[in-house]
Structures are given as C-alpha cells and as structure tokens.
Amino acid sequence: MLDIQKIRNNPEEVKNALKKRLYDVDFTELLSWDKERRSIIAESEELKAKRNKISAEIPALKKQGKDISELLADMKNVSDTIKKMDDQLREIEGKINDFLAGLPNIPADDVVAGGKENNQVIRVYGEKPEFSFETKNHVDLVTDLGLVDYERGAKIGGSGFWVYTNDGALLEWALLNYFIEEHIKDGYEFLLPPHILTYGCGFAAGQFPKFTDDVFKVETSEVNDKMQFLLPTAETALINYHRDEILKEEDLPKKYFAYTPCYRKEAGSYRAEERGMIRGHQFNKVEMFQFTLPEHSEEALEELIGKAEKLVQGLGLHHRVSKLAAQDCSASMGKTYDIEVWIPSMNDYKEVSSCSNAYDYQARRGNIRFKRKNAKKTEFVHTLNGSGLATSRLLPAIVEQNQQEDGSVIVPEVLRKWIGKDVLKPVNSK
RNA sequence: GGAGAGAUGGUCGAGUUGGUUUAAGGCACCGGUCUUGAAAACCGGCGUAGGCGUAAGCCUACCGUGAGUUCGAAUCUCACUCUCUCCGCCA
C-alpha cells in the first residue's frame, strides 16, 4: 500500500516512479475522492460534536422539568444526517482503499525500468562445468539414482507432483537441515507457521486481491474475506506474524526464518522444457524474513542476499546473482535480487532464491509499526524476505553439475553428514 | 460436535438498573526532586488513528468484530470471531 499523503502531495513524482513498472496511473479520480472524504469528515464531525454537547445537557434540562420534546426531535434529525454522512464516508473510503490496494510498490531509485530483459547480472560464482562425456538431464539422473519417483507422484497427487524416495528424501532433507543450521548460527529465530492461512494474510503480503486464483483455496467458507488458502510461500505467513502490532525500536531488527512447503497452482505455466522438479505445485523452501527500522533496510537486503549466496556457494554450485528490473519485481517489492543456478541440460539459469525489500509497502497493508524511544508518532517498519533457499531447483542442479561418467553423482560436502554417503550411485537400470 | 465462562488502554482491573467515569485505580515504563550511588518516598508524564489549524491547540472515533435500539451505548438487542474449562469423537 502506498501512502495517500505522498500521492496527495507529490502525485507526479509517484506517477513517474510507477512508470518504471510500465504502469501508467491516473490519480485525478483518487484525489477528488480524497478531497471529498475530508470534506465529509469535517462536516460530520462538527455534527457529532454538537450531538455530544447537547446530549450532555439533556439530563439537566430534564431535571429542571423543561419540555424538551422539540429538542429531542431536532437531535433525531441530526443523528439521521450523521448516519447518512457516515454511510457516504464508508463508501468513498472503500473506493480509496480499493484503488490504493491495487497499486504496486514504488521501485527503488537504483532499480532500472522495464522488464526481465533489463535485469542486470551483478555477480557470477564459479564456472559452467565442462563434461567430457555424454551428460544426462536431471530427470533421468534422479530416476536412475532412485531419488525421485515421478510416476507414483502423479498417481497419488496428480500432474505436477513427485515423491522423493530414499536417498532423494535424505538429500532433500539434508538441504533443509543445512539451511536451518546456518540460519541458527546467524541468530535468526526459527518458526514453523501454519500452512493454511486466512485471507488477511494474503492481503498484507500484497498477493491479494489480485492473485487469489494462483493459490489453492481450502473449502472452509464461501465468503471471500473469510477464505483460507495453502500458503504459496512462508513469506505470506511471516509478514503477518507481527500484523497489527506496534514494535519497540530496541526490538528491531527482528530476524526470522521458517521452513514450509510452498503450494502453487502454476496454472498455465507448464512448459515442456520445465520438466521434472523445475516447476511443481508443491516444493520445499526455507524462508528468511526481517522487520527492520527504515534506515536499516538497505543493509538488511544485502545481508539476506549475502546469506543466500553463501548457502549456494557452500553447495559448490555455479550460479549468478541478478538485480531485477522494475517490472520483474513482484508487486509488493521495491527492489529484488535473484539467485539462479546453472542447469546444464536446460542451458539456462533457474531461480533458487529471491531476496527483496518491500520497504513500508507490506507494513502499511499489515499495519505493522514501531515507535522510537520518546517519540510521539509511530512509524511503519520495513519488511524484507528472501529464500534461503528453495530446494526444488537445487536438487536438479546438484545432480546435473556433479554427475560423473558412470552415472553417479558426488554429494556436496556440507550435506554428507546427513546422508552418510559421498557418492550416489545408480540403482535403476534402464 | 455438545455444554459453560469470558474478551476493557503495555499489563492487572473497576465500570453492566444507558446520561457529571470526560474509561477509575494499581503495576510496569519514562522524566524530575531527594541521595555519594541505588532503593524508598514525593511530583509529573504515560493508548491508537483521523480531521481542522502556521502554531499553541481544538474536535472526532475506538472498551473482540459487525449491525441495531436511543436525543445519548463500554453498559441494552442480534449476528459473528477468538480464548479458556469440561464432555464426546478422531489421526
């Protein structure tokens, strides 16, 4: 949510900033509603003050035995007028809120305009591995190694699901353990939130009302604002952890991480080249989240992306880090870095982490504030989130980048203590 | 699923025959006096949001949420949400 006062005072500035997202917006209607809203408030509050004053005098008049029937009839009219004005006010505030709720965040100054094509690669780690033999893609590798069962996954969950089996399950779980261990070391608090969330969580995160069709709804209520859904990312839960709270300055920053599966419909996004685990309806992710003071959110974003990079580096995977162009950032975010790992068979890099600064955009939607010591006013916190990391593309990257001529795969060293093996060998012969 | 109890400002808690309670009071917290320092004591401050105003300030709303009755609602009516206790069922 953007600040209505900022739009009121600098409409052109906000308009221009949003153009970076290729988003052309007209504030004339909004500003006229805003003006009307304030005039209604002024008028209705004046009447309310009158009502309060006279209502307080009525007991005394009654005691004196005066005839107040005319006064009461008069006040009845005043009350009716107030009611009408408050209805008008509610309607216009509804329009204002709907308009504001539909606007995306303002991109940071150093974020370039345009879409994906303008993303800038800012760091590259390692090199594309060279193979002197015929390589396999990850679907064949994990099948041959007995790590994943796609057919039975589809049988029991439908298209877009798979089952991690044996060493595959251990490998998946080892990744999660590795991430958890690192975040604990860095002093982040570990949370395991519910996987089913209320509509309000989706709104505060900035995913609703626009993207209600992208999540799996749970059949609890037909009413939209009571709707519950399976979380598409733990971010949706974590942003709401402190919803409607006023935090103390000295408690910030708050640093959390959570493990949850992520459930996404991904309707219509299936592409033939994205076979295997690249895009499923359910994947595992550890999510980092911070609530910070406004003046510290820039450095917090660097901390998050630094932590995520360190995790990928620990696995020894070739990857690159990009700063996203305005249009490629999700609506709530003002600045986003992506980490993509190299998937040899696809000849492409695939996202394993996305770290973003929402500035005060989500905090406004979730009403998450803080108060400085000795300050009168509250301020909105800044919120940041980052995957640390999502596993579904790591496993393909690991098996493809670490494959050997005999079809075996070398286990990254940091994971070995949980798997008990240095090398995974084919178990299924074709 | 059944029965009962409850929801008031950071916390505890008064207020429920509707109108001098404009949400009392205690605790916690902050500032000050006193003290070598601390404690105690005393004094003062101490919710959120919105509107008007250059400002001091004035006004309005909020007692779980939403509607209703009334000149006037924390207080009365209805619906809903959540929490707690007990019973039943269940992986």
Side-chain angles (χ1 to χ4, degrees), chain A residues 330-367:
Chain A
S330 56
S332 302
M333 302 305 163
K335 193 201 282 197
T336 298
Y337 294 114
D338 270 7
I339 300 179
E340 298 164 299
V341 290
W342 175 246
I343 308 280
S345 69
M346 299 177 81
N347 196 33
D348 202 1
Y349 294 89
K350 286 287 161 186
E351 177 190 334
V352 291
S353 177
S354 186
C355 297
S356 305
N357 191 347
Y359 300 99
D360 65 357
Y361 183 90
Q362 290 180 318
R364 282 179 192 281
R365 294 175 82 100
N367 196 28

Side-chain angles (χ1 to χ4, degrees), chain A residues 135-151:
Chain A
T135 55
K136 299 189 206 171
N137 66 42
H138 73 272
V139 178
D140 291 339
L141 279 164
V142 297
T143 304
D144 293 348
L145 294 165
L147 305 181
V148 174
D149 190 330
Y150 289 107
E151 286 185 20

Side-chain angles (χ1 to χ4, degrees), chain A residues 68 100 126 139 141 188 208 239 243 253 361 374:
Chain A
I68 54 170
L100 290 177
V139 178
L141 279 164
Y188 282 57
F208 298 167
I239 170 74
R243 179 152 52 111
Y361 183 90
N374 297 325

Side-chain angles (χ1 to χ4, degrees), chain A residues 3-17:
Chain A
D3 183 4
I4 180 81
Q5 282 193 46
K6 186 168 183 174
I7 297 174
R8 190 188 297 151
N9 298 334
N10 309 295
E12 285 308 307
E13 193 185 313
V14 176
K15 196 177 147 105
N16 285 332

Side-chain angles (χ1 to χ4, degrees), chain A residues 228-281:
Chain A
Q228 287 176 295
F229 62 99
L230 287 168
L231 49 70
T233 157
E235 173 203 343
T236 316
L238 294 173
I239 170 74
N240 286 280
Y241 191 62
H242 288 298
R243 179 152 52 111
D244 292 318
E245 290 184 27
I246 299 173
L247 303 168
K248 290 184 200 144
E249 180 183 12
E250 62 264 33
D251 291 340
L252 296 172
K254 290 246 179 216
K255 301 181 179 183
Y256 298 106
F257 73 96
Y259 156 71
T260 68
C262 302
Y263 306 94
R264 298 182 183 180
K265 280 197 173 170
E266 304 289 2
S269 65
Y270 181 82
R271 287 182 292 165
E273 72 266 26
E274 290 194 332
R275 293 200 305 142
M277 284 166 284
I278 299 304
R279 191 181 298 277
H281 293 306

Side-chain angles (χ1 to χ4, degrees), chain A residues 369-427:
Chain A
R369 296 163 292 169
F370 75 99
K371 203 171 199 175
R372 295 184 198 273
K373 222 169 156 60
N374 297 325
K376 263 210 137 122
K377 285 297 235 181
T378 60
E379 297 170 55
F380 289 102
V381 300
H382 281 192
T383 61
L384 303 100
N385 71 289
S387 353
L389 304 162
T391 61
S392 55
R393 288 158 188 175
L394 284 174
L395 209 137
I398 289 170
V399 295
E400 288 199 20
Q401 289 196 30
N402 291 5
Q403 64 180 301
Q404 302 183 96
E405 190 158 13
D406 63 357
S408 65
V409 163
I410 296 170
V411 177
E413 209 166 316
V414 290
L415 304 181
R416 289 180 192 169
K417 64 173 169 176
W418 287 292
I419 298 173
K421 290 184 185 173
D422 298 355
V423 180
L424 301 174
K425 295 189 171 134
V427 294

Side-chain angles (χ1 to χ4, degrees), chain A residues 111-176:
Chain A
V111 167
V112 299
K116 257 189 175 48
E117 67 284 357
N118 291 349
N119 291 354
Q120 306 158 274
V121 174
I122 54 172
R123 283 190 287 278
V124 176
Y125 174 84
E127 286 172 15
K128 294 176 190 172
E130 301 275 347
F131 298 99
S132 57
F133 53 90
E134 184 91 359
T135 55
K136 299 189 206 171
N137 66 42
H138 73 272
V139 178
D140 291 339
L141 279 164
V142 297
T143 304
D144 293 348
L145 294 165
L147 305 181
V148 174
D149 190 330
Y150 289 107
E151 286 185 20
R152 292 195 175 96
K155 175 168 72 179
I156 63 179
S159 158
F161 293 92
W162 57 82
V163 178
Y164 292 101
T165 55
N166 302 309
D167 282 347
L170 280 177
L171 185 57
E172 178 73 3
W173 214 245
L175 285 166
L176 298 169

